[in-house]
Amino acid sequence: MSAAKEPNPARRSRRSRQAILEAARELVLEVGYARLTIEAIAARAGVGKQTIYRWWRSKGAVVFDAFLSLSRSGDEESIALPDTGDIEADLKAVMRATVAEFADPRFEAPIRAFTTEIINDPDLAAQYREKLAGPLDEAKKARLRSAQETGQIAADADLDLALELLYGPLHQRWLHRSGPLTPEYADALVDLTLKALRP
Amino acid sequence: MSAAKEPNPARRSRRSRQAILEAARELVLEVGYARLTIEAIAARAGVGKQTIYRWWRSKGAVVFDAFLSLSRSGDEESIALPDTGDIEADLKAVMRATVAEFADPRFEAPIRAFTTEIINDPDLAAQYREKLAGPLDEAKKARLRSAQETGQIAADADLDLALELLYGPLHQRWLHRSGPLTPEYADALVDLTLKALRP
């Protein structure tokens, strides 16, 4: 057997994993997080409960990975922000992509369902912070820190607050459907945030 | 009968109205908006269904008024923002009060429940915008406009975006429980927003 060829057990594992994540995603949308069970995910995915517990320690962990795999590859390096040296251009590229993702009808139902669960379930919220929001925020703050070093952002700026200023308005507009989600909106948020953070 | 004395039918009406609003508030917290019925509200309030339909045209309208009566008197004048001529001082007074309300444990459960319903029910969201968010936003924009006239805010500032910059971060921090809700936080949001809006 050549090294390039995936052995059967590994292929089976990968397929089971994908079936479990897909079942978890579907079931959260159908019954909500509160009424979702590991048993139901296992039944829908056609695997045993023990197969799920081999990879995940809780329902929250499975659901979390299910949504994580929806929007990105899970590759740690993919979360680093671009750094061309121009903070305005880099943030606009990132925010335009983020706004486009929120405006995409394919993501609308699952992201809204997941957000609702996070808002009402402190345990899932903690997993969300630990596994997704936390690492993403650190990547964003690393980019802002590099802009502080080049004098494009005030050295004493509160970077947590800076991120809230950038993403809070978008989050609220999307949740309340209170305005259009356009590239111009993404640019305007970046312009205002950078003006607020100017040295 | 003196004019100062409320006649019995008026007093009965007022009591029925309050009983209905209280029942609606309790039931949304207990069963959620989706499973709430006019019949259940009527039963809990000890009134007939027709009594509810005499004052409200839909379930959304009752629930909406139930939450509206929780946080303010319903008096139109009470929503105007203070105008001392100093936009920074006025916004800080308003934002400190708003942050304190979100941090108040008595409001936590009902506001979170109501927000969840708004996020997932476009019909209720439309009523929320029409009856509460819309008028409140107009009052806030009137105060920002007066600051534009005195040159404290750029004449060409987008005031809808200005409100999102002020309230979006707070909304997100509260929903995701991602940071402390303090007077210092309220002040920092005002400082950054005013810097972003400076002429």
Side-chain angles (χ1 to χ4, degrees), chain B:
Chain B
M1 195 172 68
S2 87
K5 218 169 163 186
E6 200 176 26
N8 278 337
R11 205 186 312 154
R12 252 201 322 274
S13 272
R14 196 166 40 83
R15 282 193 190 148
S16 295
R17 220 182 133 83
Q18 283 171 356
I20 291 163
L21 294 176
E22 205 176 311
R25 225 162 23 228
E26 290 171 3
L27 284 165
V28 163
L29 293 178
E30 289 170 23
V31 305
Y33 181 72
R35 279 183 289 167
L36 180 67
T37 61
I38 290 280
E39 285 77 3
I41 299 173
R44 173 79 57 105
V47 303
K49 254 173 70 170
Q50 288 318 310
T51 305
I52 297 183
Y53 282 120
R54 199 190 314 151
W55 288 316
W56 294 277
R57 65 188 159 91
S58 68
K59 176 176 86 168
V62 187
V63 169
F64 187 81
D65 278 350
F67 282 94
L68 195 64
S69 68
L70 193 71
S71 65
R72 63 183 188 90
S73 66
D75 171 8
E76 278 308 308
E77 290 191 14
S78 71
I79 69 173
L81 265 62
D83 192 348
T84 66
D86 179 347
I87 185 68
E88 182 185 327
D90 291 348
L91 284 185
K92 283 185 177 172
V94 168
M95 288 304 286
R96 280 176 171 234
T98 305
V99 167
E101 191 170 308
F102 276 108
D104 185 335
R106 286 174 304 162
F107 290 117
E108 169 65 19
I111 303 187
R112 200 167 285 274
F114 189 54
T115 302
T116 301
E117 303 301 340
I118 282 176
I119 289 170
N120 291 289
D121 191 298
D123 184 56
L124 189 64
Q127 296 218 31
Y128 166 74
R129 268 197 302 279
E130 182 202 330
K131 295 179 85 176
L132 184 57
L136 282 173
D137 283 354
E138 284 311 313
K140 292 166 192 163
K141 284 195 275 184
R143 180 64 192 89
L144 294 180
R145 230 170 269 124
S146 134
Q148 285 180 309
E149 283 157 18
T150 58
Q152 296 174 89
I153 286 179
D156 64 349
D158 177 331
L159 299 187
D160 287 302
L161 206 48
L163 290 185
E164 285 186 343
L165 218 54
L166 203 50
Y167 289 91
L170 166 61
H171 187 249
Q172 185 186 35
R173 179 177 284 213
W174 171 72
L175 268 183
H176 285 181
R177 303 179 178 88
S178 52
L181 300 173
T182 59
E184 292 71 31
Y185 178 60
D187 290 354
L189 285 179
V190 172
D191 287 336
L192 284 170
T193 300
L194 287 180
K195 194 174 166 195
L197 301 177
R198 209 175 274 171

Side-chain angles (χ1 to χ4, degrees), chain A residues 101-171:
Chain A
E101 190 169 310
F102 276 108
D104 185 335
R106 286 173 305 163
F107 289 119
E108 168 67 19
I111 303 186
R112 201 167 284 274
F114 189 55
T115 302
T116 301
E117 302 301 341
I118 282 175
I119 290 170
N120 291 289
D121 190 298
D123 183 56
L124 189 63
Q127 296 219 30
Y128 166 75
R129 267 197 303 278
E130 183 201 331
K131 294 180 85 177
L132 184 56
L136 283 174
D137 283 355
E138 283 312 312
K140 292 167 193 165
K141 283 194 278 183
R143 181 63 190 90
L144 294 180
R145 229 170 271 123
S146 134
Q148 284 180 310
E149 283 157 18
T150 57
Q152 296 174 88
I153 286 179
D156 64 349
D158 177 331
L159 298 186
D160 288 302
L161 206 48
L163 289 185
E164 284 187 343
L165 217 55
L166 203 50
Y167 289 90
L170 166 61
H171 187 250

